[in-house]
């Protein structure tokens, strides 16, 4: 059961089918564009949507809003040093602010940045800095049915091929994400990270962690990897970070805050460059676009996130939903990950061509069916190949049902499962979409669609 009780609630309202039809039409069949007042159960994202604890809310009152040298910055610095172990910290307004600093500081024109699958904003910042992202994740990652326990491991042979082809000097760092978001919230193993570390050390290639959901990754290492069953989450997290050289963080996930992020590293030269850049783009180096109170809530969030009972309830709730869907035969990505259930839209809607955006259509239908908001993670999210201009056609065409932390109850999960199952039973009538407006960057956020007619 949840290791908390509810002190304050936010009322939600079920809409009528007519209201939802109007809302989704108005939104251009893009769930990002729906007003949240029109949503019943919001599973768009686990980003910034978690419920803060009473201690975090109390922390807001301790905001030291001095322009420089805020006490809350030092609390955050101490917590990052204690739990993540990096020496230097630059706060940012959220994850992409940190990605911007990292990419601008480390990536040069013509560089290659290998990674264990792309994340949308991370790759875009690498590209904007002149780099090319190269996927070096193991093949199992692209197969929704594979039950590999560490589906997000790096394939060292793929990495080695890249190093031999372009030379280690054109690889500013490897981008390593914990519990890879785009493909099911699945972990890498410590054994894989140790091998990666040895490989990279020998070639002076830094490992930069996307630490956004790394505490959840640590949970899976303890559950699945030999030798870790008796270790604390805290020590596993620290071991991961000690094998890397720095991180970007979107604190809006693991760290239980509504806004915030940071860049952290051990190299003083990299730190000084990032610290100098942050004053141009985010704010002074002791607040980086955040209010003092936000940094305090984040520091407290770190202590709460690295607790066993929190993560047990968090990951347990995701599994509860996933098990219900799996038992009913709904095609989902396996094994069940930590932050979301991913519906496999290719299998759900085999009659819809990938260029008619099956995952986008499925997310729109789920909203129409039950007022539940999910997110497309397929052809729309993957964007276009900058060389050819064609859709990237990713192997994974998914709809993400993302669970905010400490927000919804088991009864909400029952409603979600029943609604998805109902939709699955009537899947034959679902039709594809055509894109009628496409923005230049990160198109999935703002694109608009219209239904295809028979
Ligand atoms: N890295 C990962 C793995 C993420 O999941 C996100 C955000 C970011 C970086 C960027 O951080 O949003 O704070 O700027 N993911 C959100 C999501 C948007 O819904 O998965 P941000």
């Amino acid at each position: 059961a949840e290791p908390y009780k509810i002190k304050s609630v936010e009322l939600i309202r079920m809409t009528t089918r007519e209201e939802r039809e109007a809302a989704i039409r108005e939104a251009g069949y893009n769930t990002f564009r729906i007003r949240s007042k029109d949503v019943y159960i919001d599973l768009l994202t686990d980003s910034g949507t978690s419920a803060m604890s009473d201690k975090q809310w109390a922390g807001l009152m301790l905001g030291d809003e001095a322009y420089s040298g805020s006490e809350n910055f030092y609390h955050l610095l101490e917590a990052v040093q204690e739990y993540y172990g990096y020496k230097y910290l630059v706060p940012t307004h959220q994850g992409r602010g940190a990605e911007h600093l990292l990419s601008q500081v480390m990536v040069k024109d013509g560089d290659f940045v290998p990674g264990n699958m792309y994340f949308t904003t991370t790759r875009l910042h690498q590209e904007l800095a002149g780099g090319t992202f190269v996927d070096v994740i193991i093949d199992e990652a692209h197969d929704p049915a594979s039950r590999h326990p560490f589906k997000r491991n790096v394939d060292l042979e793929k990495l080695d091929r890249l190093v031999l082809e372009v030379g280690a000097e054109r690889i500013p760092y490897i981008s390593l994400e914990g519990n890879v978001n785009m493909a099911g919230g699945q972990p890498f193993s410590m054994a894989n990270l140790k091998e990666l570390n040895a490989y990279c050390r020998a070639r002076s290639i830094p490992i930069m962690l996307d630490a956004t959901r790394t505490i959840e990754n640590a949970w899976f290492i303890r559950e699945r990897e030999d030798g870790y069953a008796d270790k604390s989450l805290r020590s596993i997290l620290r071991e991961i970070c000690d094998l890397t050289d720095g991180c970007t963080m979107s604190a809006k996930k693991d760290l239980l805050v509504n806004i915030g992020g940071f860049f952290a590293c051990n190299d003083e030269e990299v730190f000084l460059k990032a610290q100098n850049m942050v004053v141009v783009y985010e704010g002074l180096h002791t607040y980086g676009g955040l209010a003092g109170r936000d940094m305090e809530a984040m520091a407290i969030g770190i202590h709460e996130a690295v607790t066993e009972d929190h993560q047990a309830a968090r990951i347990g709730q995701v599994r509860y939903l996933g098990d219900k869907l799996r038992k009913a035969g709904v095609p989902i990505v396996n094994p069940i990950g930590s932050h979301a259930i991913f519906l496999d839209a290719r299998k759900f809607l085999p009659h819809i061509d990938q260029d008619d955006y099956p995952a986008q259509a499925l997310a729109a239908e789920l909203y129409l069916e039950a007022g539940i908001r999910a997110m497309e993670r397929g052809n729309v999210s993957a964007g276009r190949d900058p060389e050819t201009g064609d859709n990237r056609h990713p192997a994974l065409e998914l709809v993400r049902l993302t669970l905010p932390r400490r927000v919804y109850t088991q009864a909400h999960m029952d409603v979600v499962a029943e609604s998805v199952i109902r939709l699955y039973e009537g899947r034959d009538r679902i039709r594809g979409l055509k894109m009628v407006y496409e923005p230049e960057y990160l198109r999935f956020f703002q694109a608009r669609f219209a239904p295809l007619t028979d």
Side-chain angles (χ1 to χ4, degrees), residues 45 94-96 99 119 177 181 210 213 250 253 400:
T45 176
Q94 58 183 72
R96 69 200 73 179
E99 291 166 354
F119 182 71
E177 187 189 332
N181 185 2
D210 180 338
R213 296 183 185 84
S250 169
K253 285 79 163 175
R400 189 182 76 172

Side-chain angles (χ1 to χ4, degrees), residues 32 44-48 93-99 119-122 177-182 210-213 248-253 259-261 339 375 377 400 402 444-445:
F32 277 103
L44 184 71
T45 176
D46 63 335
S47 181
H93 76 284
Q94 58 183 72
R96 69 200 73 179
E99 291 166 354
F119 182 71
T120 52
T121 57
T122 323
E177 187 189 332
N179 259 30
V180 176
N181 185 2
M182 292 304 282
D210 180 338
T212 299
R213 296 183 185 84
T248 54
M249 166 67 88
S250 169
K252 300 167 74 173
K253 285 79 163 175
I259 193 73
H339 71 304
M375 181 194 291
R377 294 276 84 156
R400 189 182 76 172
T402 336
F444 54 95
F445 283 131

Side-chain angles (χ1 to χ4, degrees), residues 155-217:
D155 185 330
L156 282 142
E157 278 178 27
K158 285 187 193 170
L159 178 60
D160 194 45
R161 238 175 282 144
L162 177 72
V163 171
L164 292 177
E165 199 183 310
V166 305
E169 63 291 348
R170 286 173 73 196
I171 300 181
Y173 59 88
I174 171 158
S175 182
L176 180 74
E177 187 189 332
N179 259 30
V180 176
N181 185 2
M182 292 304 282
Q186 288 292 319
F188 57 72
S189 69
M190 195 72 83
N192 185 248
L193 176 55
K194 283 181 184 162
E195 271 184 67
L196 179 68
N197 172 279
Y199 180 91
C200 289
R201 282 263 146 89
R203 289 157 186 82
S204 301
I205 301 172
I207 303 174
M208 302 310 281
L209 181 69
D210 180 338
T212 299
R213 296 183 185 84
T214 298
I215 305 171
E216 293 177 3
N217 198 117

